[in-house]
Amino acid sequence: MITLKNVTLRRGAKVLLDSTSVTLNPGEKVGLVGRNGAGKSSLFALLNGNLHEDAGEYYIPTQWRMGQVSQDMPETDQSATDFVIEGDTQLLAAREEVTASEATEDYDRMAHAYMALHDAGEHDAASRAQALILGLGFKTSELANPVNSFSGGWRMRLQLARALMCPSDLLLLDEPTNHLDLDALVWLEAWLKKYEGTMVVISHDREFLDAVTNVTLHIDAGKLVRYGGNYSKFEDMRAEQMELQQNAFSKQQDKIAHLQKFIARFKAKASKAKQAQSRVKALDRMEKIAPLLSEADFTFEFKEPANLPNPMLSMSGVSFGYPPPDDAPDGTPHTVIVRNVSKSVLAGQRIGILGANGQGKSTLVKTVARDLQAIGGEITEGKGLNIGYFAQQELDVLRPADTPLEHMIRLVKELTALGKIAGQATREQDLRSFLGTFNFGGDMVKQAVGSMSGGEKARLVLCMIVWQRPNLLLLDEPTNHLDLATREALSMALNEFEGTVMLVSHDRALLRAVCDEFWMVSRGGVEPFDGDLDDYQRYLLDEAKRQREEAKEAAKTPVKPMVVAVASKPKAKGDTSPKAKKELQDVEARMAVLNTEGAALESRLSTNPNPSEIAEIGRSLNAVNDELAQLEDRWLDLSNRLETA
């Protein structure tokens, strides 16, 4: 178990944990919660050994293996599959021992090395890694892509997959859902429910915490307070505790006032002096109950839109997608993702946009937001349509060197030039006051945005959107960097908003609270989704299961960069000659033979042969895997060329 006894933890001069104690038992799934800056990440640093306690005692079993998501952005040309496989430190150590043992003539050592490699799961490492990658939203065609070919958010998903690949007794997850779509989030929940070790997770997603945790650890005023139950149960118990504390404080204040009144009245009278003195002593001995200092609430509201066109917009036979890259040859067609959509968006609608990863949710929203041109069909906007758009990459467009006030001043100038100022106050003092309603007060209005947290940046983007008085809100994953209090404030503000909302989010609590209808983006189209979010989760789990089964079939051989075993001259792009098709058939036949040979060798290993035989089997198995890996590369190349043609 993990034990903290009278632990004090400081960051600089600030005391984060003050002589606090708690015990976490093996196998518990712990949600770590508390306001921003309370010390959640610092407690993680204590757990993983990057920080040490300033006082008290901290104990964690020395034999426990730890898994956690690296916060570094990976820069490597390794394939996605190989990168994730290397998260299995036990397997890596076994591979290194095999290599080292083969450099000697110590057959006993080789035998043990090959058995350890087999026990570490070498035979199914690729399929295990690819199941994680696919579960987190990647496509089958991306399994062999270099890590550095992906964007930052997708690389962080690979870091998460790498952490899950690592065999561990303690798993530390700090905001693991930030870069995930709803389909990947549902898959992750299902995976974590089956995790057998101890887990500590920091998250601002209440439904995620409810699904995967059974203990809540609250950092409050420098103390660690343990609650049995998930986040919702913690909220109920804490609310009850706060009410009891407030009642006890009020009763004690009444008693103190009564004693002080008696003392003040009779302390000068000789006949009552003794009684007065005894009450002074009683007052001094009384253990004072602290007043309830609740965390400051954050609230905001959307101003009433200047007008409400109805319909907001109409789509007739619209196709959504992307234009060809700038360096593409002339005549390169557009990439169409969603086609032939005919729908109207009405005033006051609350639409949640659902769909598995890659189906076109963000493409649909970007096109409505005018960031992309429709590829076909016609979008007709209502007169006076004023769009407020929160994009997934919205934080990236903030200028790091500029302050919140400078962002607001620039926004005013841009909208004034476009004639889109709808009666908002534009003086600098007015802008300062408006920023203050989003907790940008005092010196923060002149703090460089680049030095702010992700949550503060997201709050600034919301502030800029609210100031524009939109009548149509397009929100694409707006909660990625928001804490629980700000998410709750956003939910309340959206419910009171008089305009129209179109929302893409993996935050199910927000979707449930805000949306009263859903659109499903799937298989190149957009249709109403008649079920609720629970129905949609079941659909996503079934879809993830189908993809995993497909991946297992496609990944029966490991994907590893090895010396080419089959020398073939590459065919020209789009080669459909009989010779290419014949070579593809030959490769498939040879792969089938090698798969049979590999299975036979693994079967021989399980019969506990003598050391010299184990070494011989291991070398043969390596040779088979090497050739299989290269044949698979050749098979993929031939298949892609034929498919392109």
Side-chain angles (χ1 to χ4, degrees):
M1 64 179 64
I2 299 173
T3 304
L4 283 76
K5 186 176 181 181
N6 298 323
V7 165
T8 295
L9 186 63
R10 295 185 178 90
R11 269 290 175 93
K14 185 177 181 181
V15 177
L16 297 172
L17 299 181
D18 186 9
S19 190
T20 189
S21 303
V22 76
T23 297
L24 304 179
N25 299 308
E28 288 185 328
K29 308 298 185 288
V30 182
L32 180 59
V33 300
R35 61 178 175 76
N36 286 344
K40 299 188 293 293
S41 295
S42 296
L43 179 57
F44 260 37
L46 176 68
L47 294 174
N48 66 25
N50 288 333
L51 276 183
H52 296 283
E53 64 275 19
D54 294 287
E57 300 174 13
Y58 164 61
Y59 169 78
I60 185 171
T62 54
Q63 73 275 17
W64 273 19
R65 300 163 298 174
M66 189 176 300
Q68 60 180 329
V69 181
S70 171
Q71 299 304 310
D72 296 333
M73 188 64 67
E75 289 288 348
T76 174
D77 56 4
Q78 273 185 303
S79 73
T81 299
D82 287 340
F83 177 75
V84 172
I85 287 174
E86 287 194 358
D88 190 337
T89 52
Q90 187 175 331
L91 177 62
L92 278 190
R95 284 180 174 180
E96 290 169 1
E97 175 58 17
V98 166
T99 302
S101 68
E102 287 179 340
T104 71
E105 293 185 0
D106 187 339
Y107 290 109
D108 282 335
R109 181 181 176 184
M110 277 192 272
H112 288 297
Y114 279 114
M115 288 302 293
L117 185 66
H118 183 270
D119 292 343
E122 173 73 13
H123 58 288
D124 66 348
S127 61
R128 285 187 288 121
Q130 290 174 352
L132 293 170
I133 297 169
L134 293 172
L136 290 173
F138 291 81
K139 300 173 184 175
T140 306
S141 58
E142 296 173 328
L143 293 171
N145 288 3
V147 171
N148 52 20
S149 70
F150 296 103
S151 66
W154 288 96
R155 289 193 221 180
M156 293 311 296
R157 291 196 194 200
L158 289 175
Q159 289 283 37
L160 175 57
R162 189 176 167 110
L164 301 182
M165 185 75 181
C166 178
S168 60
D169 303 292
L170 173 63
L171 182 60
L172 302 178
L173 297 175
D174 190 349
E175 295 291 357
T177 67
N178 266 3
H179 301 283
L180 302 185
D181 298 317
L182 184 52
D183 49 333
L185 173 57
V186 170
W187 175 88
L188 178 62
E189 278 183 7
W191 192 95
L192 292 176
K193 286 176 183 177
K194 297 175 184 175
Y195 177 68
E196 296 180 354
T198 304
M199 180 180 72
V200 183
V201 58
I202 299 171
S203 177
H204 292 125
D205 186 325
R206 65 173 60 236
E207 289 211 18
F208 176 73
L209 287 172
D210 278 350
V212 302
T213 65
N214 54 22
V215 172
T216 300
L217 196 59
H218 183 215
I219 302 182
D220 183 29
K223 301 296 182 184
L224 290 171
V225 187
R226 177 190 166 103
Y227 295 83
N230 60 19
Y231 186 81
S232 291
K233 290 181 180 176
F234 151 73
E235 278 196 323
D236 292 340
M237 287 187 284
R238 177 154 168 75
E240 184 179 341
Q241 183 186 71
M242 290 167 70
E243 184 179 0
L244 290 172
Q245 182 179 343
Q246 185 62 41
N247 290 340
F249 174 75
S250 298
K251 286 180 180 178
Q252 188 180 68
Q253 290 302 301
D254 290 342
K255 186 175 182 179
I256 290 172
H258 178 74
L259 290 172
Q260 288 175 333
K261 186 177 180 181
F262 184 93
I263 294 166
R265 182 177 179 186
F266 295 114
K267 66 180 179 181
K269 288 191 177 181
S271 60
K272 296 286 187 181
K274 239 179 214 184
Q275 292 95 321
Q277 192 59 37
S278 71
R279 282 162 174 73
V280 169
K281 290 179 180 177
L283 198 57
D284 290 339
R285 288 195 300 267
M286 185 181 293
E287 187 175 339
K288 303 296 190 294
I289 297 172
L292 187 63
L293 300 175
S294 60
E295 296 169 6
D297 290 331
F298 168 64
T299 59
F300 69 95
E301 62 180 4
F302 290 93
K303 295 182 181 179
E304 181 183 354
N307 62 339
L308 286 173
N310 196 20
M312 290 278 175
L313 57 90
S314 297
M315 296 175 277
S316 178
V318 179
S319 293
F320 304 86
Y322 291 87
D326 294 337
D327 57 355
D330 292 341
T332 302
H334 286 66
T335 301
V336 180
I337 299 176
V338 183
R339 50 176 52 84
N340 197 30
V341 176
S342 296
K343 282 186 171 297
S344 293
V345 178
L346 306 178
Q349 275 188 295
R350 301 283 194 278
I351 303 168
I353 301 175
L354 308 177
N357 179 63
Q359 294 296 309
K361 302 186 299 295
S362 292
T363 307
L364 170 67
V365 172
K366 284 179 181 178
T367 307
V368 174
R370 313 181 188 113
D371 270 16
L372 289 173
Q373 291 289 324
I375 293 174
E378 185 177 1
I379 299 178
T380 305
E381 297 183 352
K383 185 178 180 181
L385 180 68
N386 185 12
I387 294 174
Y389 177 39
F390 191 114
Q392 282 198 55
Q393 298 80 22
E394 192 68 27
L395 303 194
D396 297 336
V397 303
L398 294 175
R399 300 185 183 184
D402 287 1
T403 67
L405 183 58
E406 287 170 339
H407 277 85
M408 291 297 295
I409 291 171
R410 187 172 63 255
L411 176 65
V412 170
K413 290 179 178 177
E414 290 172 355
L415 294 181
T416 301
L418 295 171
K420 291 186 177 181
I421 296 293
Q424 297 96 317
T426 58
R427 294 180 306 141
E428 181 175 317
Q429 186 55 48
D430 295 325
L431 298 178
R432 283 175 177 269
S433 299
F434 191 75
L435 283 164
T437 64
F438 282 81
N439 286 356
F440 293 103
D443 294 337
M444 278 197 76
V445 297
K446 292 201 170 181
Q447 179 182 338
V449 167
S451 66
M452 293 181 176
S453 68
E456 289 166 338
K457 292 176 184 175
R459 234 184 317 120
L460 176 58
V461 171
L462 280 174
C463 175
M464 294 168 70
I465 290 173
V466 171
W467 186 86
Q468 297 175 59
R469 294 182 67 181
N471 48 34
L472 172 60
L473 284 172
L474 302 175
L475 306 176
D476 192 355
E477 296 293 356
T479 64
N480 273 351
H481 299 277
L482 301 182
D483 60 21
L484 280 162
T486 310
R487 290 183 187 212
E488 188 68 27
L490 175 62
S491 175
M492 292 173 62
L494 289 175
N495 275 319
E496 295 172 2
F497 177 56
E498 295 183 12
T500 298
V501 178
M502 297 178 72
L503 173 63
V504 177
S505 180
H506 67 259
D507 188 325
R508 286 153 300 178
L510 184 66
L511 285 168
R512 291 183 204 275
V514 171
C515 301
D516 48 30
E517 62 180 292
F518 296 104
W519 289 2
M520 177 79 155
V521 183
S522 177
R523 299 177 184 176
V526 179
E527 298 294 338
F529 184 77
D530 294 330
D532 58 18
L533 283 179
D534 294 329
D535 296 322
Y536 181 62
Q537 280 187 215
R538 284 189 287 272
Y539 159 79
L540 289 175
L541 288 172
D542 290 341
E543 188 70 9
K545 182 180 179 181
R546 182 185 64 77
Q547 289 183 3
R548 286 198 302 274
E549 289 171 352
E550 285 182 0
K552 285 179 182 177
E553 290 300 315
K556 287 181 178 176
T557 59
V559 181
K560 298 185 289 184
M562 296 289 179
V563 178
V564 177
V566 178
S568 301
K569 185 178 179 180
K571 303 294 183 287
K573 185 175 181 180
D575 191 347
T576 58
S577 67
K579 189 176 179 182
K581 294 177 180 177
K582 176 65 168 62
E583 184 183 352
L584 184 64
Q585 292 171 353
D586 291 343
V587 169
E588 288 174 341
R590 178 60 181 159
M591 288 171 66
V593 170
L594 289 171
N595 275 317
T596 303
E597 289 181 9
L601 288 168
E602 288 181 357
S603 179
R604 285 179 60 192
L605 267 179
S606 65
T607 62
N608 295 320
N610 63 51
S612 60
E613 285 180 311
I614 291 176
E616 180 188 345
I617 293 169
R619 284 192 292 269
S620 299
L621 195 55
N622 276 348
V624 167
N625 286 339
D626 289 354
E627 187 176 352
L628 271 171
Q630 297 313 309
L631 283 169
E632 184 180 68
D633 287 344
R634 185 65 189 141
W635 183 90
L636 285 170
D637 180 55
L638 288 165
S639 299
N640 287 336
R641 291 175 187 279
L642 289 168
E643 184 178 347
T644 300

